[in-house]
């Protein structure tokens, strides 16, 4: 019996010890558990460790939402929270009976405003809870950030980086950060004649009343607020300066001084779409940010955009800023200087703006790109200032497609390609430049195996050598030359001109091609010889090929950026043709222009050695079909090769063919010469 009593006594003694150990939990362990949950952002678990007084001020959901909202707002990442070790002294009787204690900790994280770290301390309180003594956290706002007090809020302000500008070779702005006058309506002042006033304004601005009403019905609009409607010039602004329901503001925005003349080159920027925001979510973009939508604005987006700055601050209940927690300054985007000559760009566009055309201008010695033009065009400023539905529909429904960037697309080069055929033939000895070929009539077929297919020419010269074939642009001569070269050699040698390769330039040009999938038969080979068949080239690539004629057979590396220039011009394709071949073709092309019988005579300028070659590319489904003709001319001053122009104009049939193009190129050369004198 005594043994049983002792056993029961021992049991209750042990039970008492266990109960005592629960009451005496280690506050250091409690603090560590709280900090661990915090680092893992387990906010519900954190809430459960708070004192009843702290819980009384907010629900678990409110507690979690506050942390989540703040951390989302500051874009907190890589959160790390560690308890700071402090040397502990052995606890005496009084120390052990303390009801409160503090545990220091260190917080660090990455934020939208850069790295952030701070030291603070947890306050723990010994609390009787459900007949147990527990250590709980005395929560207060300073645990989020030490600078915070009750009622304070965290504010995040984005400091927009200034976008880099795009300049031409002389420092003229192609895409600038400017300002414009914005007209707006004060809704509460429209008065009884509101509908009449809106209708008159819509007519003046070239927009619909529906567009104005849509802006006035936005959720944020209030009677006394300025509601932006459209950007206007000073003339329009003057008419409305004293109208009580109209107001004006100066607004910073992107400006494209050369408008339509450089639109396809510069492109434009615009507010990011939801799809773009999703695609670039890891690159620091946010709702409302601008991004390059086309052209160089899009190509050089990463260099132009800069890096936004940010400020994370604590504000009191009235919104007054109390303290800055973290700050990073905005880094402006890079200013990009091009090799483009803006005045030449404008002159070329003025010459071709009524046409559907593609033009490339280069400095043939260095490969510097002086102009890239596509017409018809559009005004990129309209996308910045607010494009009206009327204007967009006009451009969208224009059959000439002003949104199509023609200078980046490949076209059949027609007879302008004959220089490539001639160079290949001369260099592999398949063409004897002095040999007179006897050709009868205006049509020719190799033999009966061609069926009813034949090659045509314009001039019925009975005896034709290389020079005459270039002067007359004889298709039959070059079709026969291609057959003499052979398909295998033609494909191999054409690669020396970069055909089939992407141009080594930071712009999305179409690859030029010799054929779709190899030259499969003699008819295709013959057509390829005079630039028809399946040959496609951009005007820039054709310009680069012709540049070899003044570079001893080397094709220069194309340059669009001034920072890519060196003292010595770079070579893209070394010895695309031999120096001897380049010299011979250069001499022949001078005569192709100077000769009164030459198809390129329209570009002749007395006293100048203009060398060049025309081209007329036929686009039709069959030999007998009536199709479209595109005209080409590629020319340069052989004595002073500072400018080489490659121009293609669509739909010249019935208008003089390639002579439409030679006249335009001549006028551009004359203007350049006049400006230089």
């Amino acid at each position: 019996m005594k043994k049983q009593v002792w056993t029961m006594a021992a049991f209750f003694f042990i039970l008492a010890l266990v109960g005592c150990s629960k009451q005496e939990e280690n506050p250091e362990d409690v603090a560590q558990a709280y900090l661990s949950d915090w680092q893992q952002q387990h906010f519900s678990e954190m809430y459960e460790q708070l004192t009843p007084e702290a819980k009384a001020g907010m629900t678990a959901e409110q507690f979690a939402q506050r942390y989540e909202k703040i951390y989302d707002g500051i874009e907190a990442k890589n959160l790390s929270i560690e308890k700071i070790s402090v040397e502990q002294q052995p606890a005496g009787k009084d120390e052990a009976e303390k009801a409160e204690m503090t545990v220091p900790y260190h917080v660090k994280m990455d934020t939208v405003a850069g790295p952030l770290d701070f030291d603070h301390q947890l306050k723990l309180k010994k609390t009787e809870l459900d007949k147990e003594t527990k250590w709980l956290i005395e929560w207060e706002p300073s645990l989020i950030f030490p600078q915070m007090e009750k009622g304070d809020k965290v504010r995040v302000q984005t400091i927009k980086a200034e976008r880099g500008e795009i300049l031409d070779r002389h420092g003229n702005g192609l895409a600038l950060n400017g300002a414009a006058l914005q007209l707006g309506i004060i809704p509460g002042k429209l008065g009884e004649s509101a509908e009449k006033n809106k209708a008159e304004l819509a007519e003046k601005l070239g927009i619909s009343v529906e567009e104005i009403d849509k802006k006035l019905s936005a959720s944020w609009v209030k009677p006394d607020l300025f509601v932006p409607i459209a950007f206007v010039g000073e003339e329009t602004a003057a008419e409305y300066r004293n109208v009580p329901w109209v107001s004006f503001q100066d607004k910073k925005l992107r400006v494209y001084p050369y408008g339509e003349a450089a639109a396809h080159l510069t492109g434009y920027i615009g507010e990011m779409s939801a799809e773009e925001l999703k695609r670039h979510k890891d690159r620091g973009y946010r709702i409302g940010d601008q991004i390059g939508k086309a052209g160089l604005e899009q190509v050089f987006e990463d260099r132009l955009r800069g890096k936004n700055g940010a400020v994370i601050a604590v504000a009191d209940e009235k919104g007054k800023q109390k303290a800055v927690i973290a700050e990073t300054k905005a880094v402006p985007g890079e200013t990009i200087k091009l090799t483009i000559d803006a005045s030449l760009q404008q002159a070329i566009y003025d010459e071709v703006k009524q046409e559907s055309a593609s033009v490339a201008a280069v400095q043939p010695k260095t490969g510097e790109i002086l102009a890239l033009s596509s017409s018809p065009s559009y005004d990129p400023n309209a996308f910045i200032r607010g494009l009206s539905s009327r204007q967009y529909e006009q451009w969208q429904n224009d059959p000439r497609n002003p949104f199509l960037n023609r200078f980046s697309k490949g076209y059949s080069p027609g007879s302008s390609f004959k220089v490539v055929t001639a160079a290949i033939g001369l260099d592999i000895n398949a063409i004897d430049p002095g040999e007179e070929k006897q050709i009868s009539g205006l049509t020719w077929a190799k033999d009966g195996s061609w069926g009813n297919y034949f090659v045509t020419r314009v001039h019925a010269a009975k005896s034709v050598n290389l020079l005459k074939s270039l002067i007359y642009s004889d298709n039959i001569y070059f079709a026969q030359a291609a057959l003499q070269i052979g398909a295998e050699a033609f494909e191999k040698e054409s690669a020396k001109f970069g055909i089939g390769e992407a141009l080594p330039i930071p712009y999305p040009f179409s690859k030029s091609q010799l054929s779709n999938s190899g030259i499969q038969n003699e008819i295709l080979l013959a057509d390829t010889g005079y630039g028809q068949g399946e040959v496609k080239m951009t005007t820039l690539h054709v310009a680069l090929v012709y540049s070899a004629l003044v570079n001893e057979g080397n094709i220069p590396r194309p340059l669009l950026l001034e920072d890519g220039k060196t003292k010595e011009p770079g070579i893209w394709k070394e010895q695309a043709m031999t120096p001897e071949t380049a010299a011979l073709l250069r001499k022949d092309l001078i005569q192709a222009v100077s000769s009164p019988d030459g198809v390129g005579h329209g570009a002749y300028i007395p006293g100048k050695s203009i060398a060049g070659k025309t081209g007329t590319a036929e686009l039709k489904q069959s030999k007998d079909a009536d199709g479209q003709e595109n005209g080409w001319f590629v020319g340069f001053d052989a004595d002073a090769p500072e400018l080489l122009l490659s121009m293609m104009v669509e739909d010249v049939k019935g208008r003089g063919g390639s002579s439409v193009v030679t006249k335009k190129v001549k006028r551009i050369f004359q203007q350049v010469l006049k400006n230089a004198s």
Side-chain angles (χ1 to χ4, degrees), residues 416-465:
S416 65
F417 187 76
K418 289 173 180 174
V419 164
V420 175
T421 303
I424 292 172
L426 289 168
D427 282 345
I428 68 170
N429 297 316
I431 292 177
D432 178 352
E435 180 186 358
E436 297 282 342
K437 287 184 176 292
Q438 304 304 310
I439 302 173
S440 300
L442 298 176
T443 63
W444 173 81
K446 179 189 174 185
D447 52 39
S449 65
W450 283 20
N452 61 357
Y453 192 85
F454 51 85
V455 178
T456 62
R457 63 177 179 170
V458 177
H459 296 274
K462 292 183 179 180
S463 181
V464 185
N465 60 15

Side-chain angles (χ1 to χ4, degrees), residues 567-578:
K567 292 182 179 179
E568 293 296 328
I571 295 174
W572 177 37
K573 295 296 174 181
E574 190 170 0
Q575 294 298 272
M577 62 183 79
T578 64

Side-chain angles (χ1 to χ4, degrees), residues 13 34 57 71 102 177 190 238 242 246 248 284 296 300 321 356 393 409 465 489 532 553 556 565 578 599 644 659:
F13 177 73
Y34 182 86
Y71 282 1
T102 59
N177 298 316
L190 274 167
N242 298 317
V246 171
F248 297 91
L296 293 174
F300 293 124
Q321 183 172 303
S356 296
E393 287 173 10
K409 308 300 179 188
N465 60 15
Q532 289 278 176
K565 290 169 63 175
T578 64
V599 291
L644 188 152
S659 66

Side-chain angles (χ1 to χ4, degrees), residues 17 165 265 338 358 377 406 409 423 475 493 503 548:
L17 286 175
E165 297 182 326
L265 176 63
L338 308 178
S358 168
S377 187
R406 287 170 167 82
K409 308 300 179 188
N475 289 346
E493 295 299 315
L503 293 177

